[in-house]
Amino acid sequence: MKRPLLLFDVMGTLVTEPFLEAMPRFFQMSLEQLRAEVDPTAWIEFEKGRIDEQQFCDQFFRDGRSVDPQKLRQCLHDAYDWLDGMQALMVELHGLGFQIHALSNYPIWFEIIEDKLKLSRYLDWTFVSCKTGFRKPDPESYRVVERELQIPMNECFFVDDRLGNVEAARAVGMDSVLIDDHHGVREELVRRSIIIA
């Protein structure tokens, strides 16, 4: 069996998601209040790389309140951490010689994650939405992998924590699994005979 290309989402799959706890604390509001007051359009544009960090911070809240980008960056830096067991899984897969890439919806802040956790020891930050201009579940966010690496969809294995992203990957012919935890991902890799138990 040909060894597949491995693609991993990052936030909520490999690394903690600051929006759920750290950012509400930073802004001193509940998650529900934060969701209601942020400008979702600005986030999408930021993730697609269409606006820079300062522009995003200027548009962060619907009411136009300003956000200090340096303080927000520090909040994020402090919050990013490996999810339980995922670094060990990355060490194992990298040690086995798999080609691994990030396929992630995220802005330029991926550089903060890299600075703190050094994910590039295990994967390449190739398909981050701020670099490709496409966000999952847009089919183009998956097709860009095939175009850039000249690897057919059916020779890829993708892991994500959102069902919609997993279903979209499957719809374009990419084998995909919804993450449960690192044990679940490893079990799926074993079940497909990608790695040996």
Side-chain angles (χ1 to χ4, degrees):
M1 176 181 175
K2 187 170 182 178
R3 175 171 287 195
L5 173 78
L6 303 183
L7 298 156
F8 279 82
D9 173 54
V10 176
M11 306 313 302
T13 299
L14 298 177
V15 175
T16 52
E17 172 53 82
F19 188 81
L20 301 178
E21 295 182 9
M23 288 178 70
R25 281 197 306 270
F26 176 77
F27 290 112
Q28 298 182 319
M29 57 179 67
S30 67
L31 176 59
E32 293 72 24
Q33 185 182 2
L34 183 60
R35 287 187 193 278
E37 296 188 23
V38 298
D39 182 341
T41 303
W43 178 249
I44 291 170
E45 294 297 288
F46 190 34
E47 278 199 329
K48 287 185 175 181
R50 294 178 178 172
I51 60 175
D52 64 25
E53 186 174 29
Q54 186 60 61
Q55 289 172 308
F56 172 69
C57 287
D58 290 343
Q59 300 172 40
F60 189 93
F61 285 112
R62 295 176 190 266
D63 63 9
R65 276 173 287 167
S66 62
V67 174
D68 185 324
Q70 293 307 314
K71 289 181 179 177
L72 184 54
R73 270 183 164 258
Q74 188 59 54
C75 164
L76 296 169
H77 184 277
D78 294 344
Y80 291 135
D81 203 356
W82 286 98
L83 287 170
D84 184 45
M86 294 311 296
Q87 184 176 14
L89 180 61
M90 288 294 102
V91 168
E92 178 182 5
L93 295 174
H94 184 264
L96 290 170
F98 283 95
Q99 185 180 0
I100 310 172
H101 293 263
L103 177 53
S104 182
N105 292 349
Y106 220 58
I108 196 68
W109 289 340
F110 81 87
E111 293 177 350
I112 308 174
I113 301 173
E114 173 61 22
D115 179 63
K116 182 176 182 182
L117 302 179
K118 304 292 189 293
L119 267 68
S120 62
R121 289 175 290 175
Y122 317 113
L123 57 74
D124 292 318
W125 289 100
T126 318
F127 305 108
V128 184
S129 60
C130 68
K131 296 168 73 173
T132 67
F134 300 109
R135 294 175 75 250
K136 299 169 295 182
D138 183 338
E140 286 303 309
S141 67
Y142 308 96
R143 292 186 181 125
V144 71
V145 176
E146 187 173 47
R147 288 198 302 270
E148 291 290 322
L149 301 181
Q150 297 294 299
I151 294 177
M153 292 290 195
N154 63 5
E155 293 180 13
C156 300
F157 179 78
F158 173 57
V159 180
D160 200 290
D161 66 320
R162 294 178 182 267
L163 181 58
N165 295 339
V166 168
E167 290 175 340
R170 290 173 180 163
V172 295
M174 185 179 286
D175 191 12
S176 184
V177 65
L178 183 67
I179 189 171
D180 179 9
D181 55 27
H182 67 284
H183 297 297
V185 176
R186 195 178 190 286
E187 287 169 4
E188 289 296 327
L189 290 166
V190 170
R191 190 171 69 81
R192 289 165 169 80
S193 300
I194 295 171
I195 63 174
I196 306 301

